Amino acid sequence: MKRVKMFLGIAALIPLALTQLTPVASATTTAPTCATMTVDAPPGAKIESVQAQRHEGGTVSFPATPLGPAREITDVPAYCEVTVTLTHPGANDHVKVAVTLPETGWSGRLQAAGGSAYTAGDFGAPLVQAVKDGYAGVTTDAGVPLTFLDTSWALKPDNTLNKPLVTDFATRSVHESAVIGKDVARQYFHRAVSYSYWNGCSTGGRQGYSEAQNYPHDFDGILANAPAVNWSQFAVATLWPQTVMNNDHHFVANCVLDAFKQAAIKTCDPRDGVVNGIVDRPDECGYDPRSLVGTKIVCEGKEITVSAADADVMRKIWAGPTDEYGRKLWDGLPKGADPSWLAGTKADENGDLSAPGFAVAVGWVQSFLKKQPGFDTSTLTYAQFRDLFRQSVREFDGVIGTSNPDLSAFRWSGGKLLSFVGTADQLIPPGGTLAYRQQVERRMGPVNDFYRLFLAPGVEHCGGGAGPQPVNPLGALVDWVEHGKAPATLAAATATTTRDLCAYPRFSRYNGQGDPAVASSYHCR
């Protein structure tokens, strides 16, 4: 079904973090009433309860989480928060959907917030920021705990897979939250949502791609950054560094891991014509870790000599997992990214090192594949790792893999998909997203008319790192959806530098002259 839209004027949008968006229709002149309402259940679901609570707004503070710092949002208008709890007959699940609705200044837009790791949504700052920016906000917990790394919910008491909850987390709940969010907003504001947007990174990025693949009419625009697409491969592949160290019986100290990272940056940084501590194209970085063998470094006051065994482990981590014939199963950590997240080691009281493994991958293997909550992933042999990798793809690619390259329904619905990926992503190797994008092009031909991917040199997972970060990607997406202005570049910045990121397959390159800290000194090629 083709969307029918009201078009805005031609004025360019100002960054959303700095000003309110231009409403797509006149806002209500009197504050709506924050009260319980009757919400229609999405097909296959049943509403258990609906609660409404008015918030005064003003300055709203949020504590730090395991995945982010504390945050304070000022000048928030008063808003209504409607919480809908639903279930699916026979599933024994209880899924919460929260919708935040500004009393004044609503732009006519809906913004859905994605999750992180094994948490499906964010009920904190994103919903309040959405209200401040003139959106109705929506998110869901998919019926699972808001604890980021807990995977115990995936198993029933008899240690069999809880398939309904896995379905909720993988695909169903985000779709239902979009349906509920639009229904609640329509009733509260007495008019329908004009445009709906998805905003997520990591797990939230995967959820955005899932929506484009499975529910192409839910959102007009999808901002899905550092997406955990190909989840069934990624969730096992990121356990590779632990598997290498345990099978090679050699554990690399964190300071040595960092020395390899710094050496790779020093070697490959100048390739783009400017020395700025960034490896623009890790895939083109040919640095050989064996060149560091024999180098002496200081670790916690002790001098250590880099060994050939250290270099061999680092080489395998960068190369990524392989099958029994040496063929690549998945991409490894990009050169220039911080290896301590996936390959970090810790010392016991005797000073002996061990590799605990990436928590997201450990939880996936324990709960979803082995179905043994206490399973010790450090015991995996290379052969067992490869078996688990194949099992994960075989059993879960169609459930949570988010790897379907056919986006034709989303394209024909009029939707727009925008993503950025950091080349120094230390949690989700960017090769997975690049491989997915290439698969889409092989199936559909050129796709920049509705799907644009931007590589952010030196940026880490969802942000951070030495490279300039996109300053307002959601604003660029809104401009694309509502004004038809497809972004050729994304403005990015740090505290001291600016740079325009280029739409794939083009890359940002230094001109060879001019201030390397200024965006105008770069071009796309």
Side-chain angles (χ1 to χ4, degrees):
M1 181 174 65
K2 186 175 179 62
R3 291 185 175 91
V4 178
K5 293 298 175 190
M6 295 176 290
F7 290 96
L8 289 173
I10 61 173
L13 292 174
I14 303 173
L16 306 189
L18 303 179
T19 186
Q20 192 177 75
L21 285 169
T22 305
V24 296
S26 59
T28 48
T29 56
T30 59
T33 302
C34 185
T36 300
M37 60 185 72
T38 300
V39 177
D40 292 333
K46 177 183 178 182
I47 302 297
E48 292 188 311
S49 66
V50 180
Q51 298 175 321
Q53 181 180 4
R54 183 181 182 274
H55 298 267
E56 288 292 345
T59 297
V60 186
S61 301
F62 300 93
T65 72
L67 299 180
R71 188 171 172 189
E72 184 176 272
I73 303 175
T74 60
D75 301 321
V76 178
Y79 64 96
C80 180
E81 182 172 4
V82 177
T83 302
V84 179
T85 304
L86 56 91
T87 187
H88 303 87
N92 194 31
D93 59 350
H94 307 282
V95 177
K96 281 186 168 47
V97 175
V99 187
T100 50
L101 308 140
E103 282 190 0
T104 58
W106 185 48
S107 65
R109 302 177 178 94
L110 175 77
Q111 181 184 156
S116 301
Y118 292 104
T119 290
D122 193 327
F123 288 71
L127 291 186
V128 174
Q129 186 67 50
V131 164
K132 178 177 177 176
D133 292 337
Y135 291 85
V138 63
T139 199
T140 179
D141 67 358
V144 308
L146 299 173
T147 52
F148 300 104
L149 296 176
D150 178 19
T151 57
S152 62
W153 54 267
L155 296 176
K156 297 179 181 179
D158 62 357
N159 281 348
T160 59
L161 198 67
N162 191 327
K163 292 182 179 180
L165 272 187
V166 172
T167 299
D168 287 340
F169 178 76
T171 54
R172 181 164 59 189
S173 289
V174 167
H175 165 63
E176 292 179 338
S177 70
V179 174
I180 289 172
K182 292 175 186 179
D183 183 21
V184 169
R186 177 187 58 78
Q187 294 192 58
Y188 183 78
F189 295 112
H190 302 291
R191 62 184 176 89
V193 167
S194 300
Y195 294 97
S196 56
Y197 295 92
W198 174 264
N199 188 356
C201 189
S202 193
T203 284
R206 184 199 66 76
Q207 292 167 317
Y209 276 70
S210 171
E211 281 291 291
Q213 293 170 21
N214 298 302
Y215 299 100
H217 298 280
D218 280 354
F219 296 101
D220 302 292
I222 293 174
L223 178 62
N225 302 321
V229 292
N230 296 292
W231 178 280
S232 51
Q233 291 98 328
F234 145 79
V236 179
T238 45
L239 200 63
W240 177 247
Q242 182 196 43
T243 303
V244 169
M245 292 190 198
N246 282 303
N247 281 269
D248 289 12
H249 307 292
H250 185 79
F251 299 89
V252 183
N254 291 330
C255 59
V256 178
L257 291 172
D258 185 66
F260 282 120
K261 169 195 166 184
Q262 298 302 333
I265 293 174
K266 183 178 179 180
T267 300
C268 296
D269 178 9
R271 288 178 56 92
D272 59 9
V274 58
V275 177
N276 54 6
I278 296 171
V279 179
D280 275 31
R281 294 288 303 272
D283 56 318
E284 296 180 350
C285 178
Y287 172 72
D288 187 339
R290 290 175 295 186
S291 63
L292 204 64
V293 173
T295 302
K296 297 183 185 300
I297 61 175
V298 177
C299 289
E300 299 180 357
K302 295 173 59 178
E303 188 176 76
I304 294 180
T305 302
V306 178
S307 68
D310 291 331
D312 192 50
V313 167
M314 193 72 245
R315 178 186 60 80
K316 291 178 180 177
I317 290 172
W318 276 334
T322 57
D323 67 11
E324 56 270 34
Y325 303 107
R327 296 174 301 200
K328 186 174 80 169
L329 291 172
W330 203 244
D331 282 296
L333 191 71
K335 290 174 182 174
D338 181 0
S340 65
W341 288 84
L342 301 188
T345 53
K346 63 179 182 180
D348 62 17
E349 62 275 9
N350 298 318
D352 295 326
L353 295 177
S354 64
F358 183 40
V360 171
V362 170
W364 179 257
V365 170
Q366 289 176 333
S367 296
F368 291 81
L369 301 181
K370 299 297 291 185
K371 300 174 181 62
Q372 301 172 30
F375 179 77
D376 183 1
T377 55
S378 71
T379 65
L380 291 175
T381 65
Y382 280 129
Q384 290 169 332
F385 172 90
R386 291 157 183 152
D387 288 344
L388 286 173
F389 185 92
R390 291 168 175 140
Q391 176 194 349
S392 185
V393 175
R394 184 174 62 252
E395 295 181 2
F396 289 97
D397 191 55
V399 177
I400 195 174
T402 322
S403 59
N404 181 3
D406 184 3
L407 298 178
S408 55
F410 184 69
R411 169 188 256 170
W412 291 116
S413 78
K416 307 299 181 191
L417 172 60
L418 190 153
S419 295
F420 78 80
V421 178
T423 66
D425 194 319
Q426 75 279 34
L427 302 185
I428 301 178
T433 304
L434 289 170
Y436 174 78
R437 164 70 187 222
Q438 291 160 5
Q439 290 162 6
V440 173
E441 290 178 327
R442 281 197 294 271
R443 183 179 183 93
M444 300 181 62
V447 293
N448 269 355
D449 61 310
F450 78 99
Y451 172 21
R452 298 212 168 189
L453 173 65
F454 296 81
L455 291 184
V459 173
E460 296 182 340
H461 187 61
C462 294
Q469 337 272 308
V471 295
N472 187 24
L474 182 58
L477 178 63
V478 170
D479 223 10
W480 190 10
V481 168
E482 299 178 21
H483 299 293
K485 296 173 63 176
T489 60
L490 281 186
T494 66
T496 57
T497 63
T498 60
R499 188 168 180 179
D500 291 335
L501 309 181
C502 304
Y504 182 85
R506 299 199 298 167
F507 296 87
S508 173
R509 284 292 180 267
Y510 180 56
N511 292 332
Q513 58 186 358
D515 185 351
V518 177
S520 59
S521 299
Y522 294 81
H523 67 283
C524 295
R525 77 174 189 191

